[in-house]
Amino acid sequence: MTRFLIAVAAAVVGVGTACGGGPPPMYVVADKVTVEADRVTIHGTFIRLKEGKGNEYGAPVEGVVCLGLSEMQGDDCRAEWTQWAKAAGTGRAISVGMCGAGGTLLTVKIHGPGAQPKAADAEYAPGHLGKVTSKQEWAEEPPVKALLAFVKEKKSARTTQK
């Protein structure tokens, strides 16, 4: 029995250690979020970890993602979609996931800016949305700095064009 408890304790500590140092695999600055009965569409700027590259992030990408309702977790999906809607237009980077896990947002297609997807590209996986607060979390992390600088540059370019 003692060996069993030691093995369980070691496994729990090992899992905690494995996830303890992993950054969120994705950050999003949501400009507009449209919530419908069976899907959510997020317009904004996204930055993701590069697959198989450790803690290396890709370049920020402006675009649109469309995710459908998970029938098994509909209430959880809708609750998170409300949080996404609250984050829209705030200019804050919202973290998605932790320790490499982030649900379907990590792999879903990012359509170009202004796209109007006709259908969801994947099912929304709840449980990965970071805190939607007034405080900018992860502000000192390089991918967040790169994302926010990209968003600022895009807004500046749009203002200049008008």
Side-chain angles (χ1 to χ4, degrees):
M1 181 67 165
T2 303
R3 286 185 187 166
F4 174 74
L5 292 175
I6 291 172
V8 169
V12 169
V13 169
V15 169
T17 303
C19 286
M26 183 175 194
Y27 299 95
V28 180
V29 174
D31 297 324
K32 176 183 170 188
V33 174
T34 305
V35 176
E36 298 175 43
D38 63 345
R39 70 181 186 160
V40 64
T41 305
I42 303 168
H43 299 255
T45 307
F46 308 81
I47 190 167
R48 295 177 178 159
L49 272 176
K50 289 183 176 180
E51 193 172 332
K53 297 286 186 176
N55 288 343
E56 186 180 336
Y57 287 80
V61 176
E62 186 177 21
V64 179
V65 298
C66 185
L67 296 163
L69 181 69
S70 165
E71 292 299 326
M72 298 295 290
Q73 298 176 301
D75 291 341
D76 293 335
C77 288
R78 288 184 188 96
E80 285 193 15
W81 294 356
T82 299
Q83 292 298 308
W84 277 110
K86 286 180 184 178
T90 64
R92 291 190 317 270
I94 304 303
S95 63
V96 177
M98 189 61 73
C99 305
T104 50
L105 268 170
L106 297 186
T107 56
V108 71
K109 177 180 180 171
I110 300 174
H111 298 273
Q116 300 292 328
K118 302 268 189 250
D121 291 308
E123 190 175 88
Y124 187 86
H128 302 288
L129 180 63
K131 293 179 184 175
V132 178
T133 63
S134 59
K135 180 180 178 249
Q136 175 62 71
E137 294 190 319
W138 307 99
E140 297 304 313
E141 293 296 316
V144 173
K145 288 181 177 182
L147 178 63
L148 295 174
F150 181 85
V151 168
K152 184 177 180 180
E153 184 180 309
K154 285 288 186 185
K155 284 184 180 181
S156 176
R158 286 186 189 121
T159 304
T160 303
Q161 291 175 351
K162 289 181 179 182

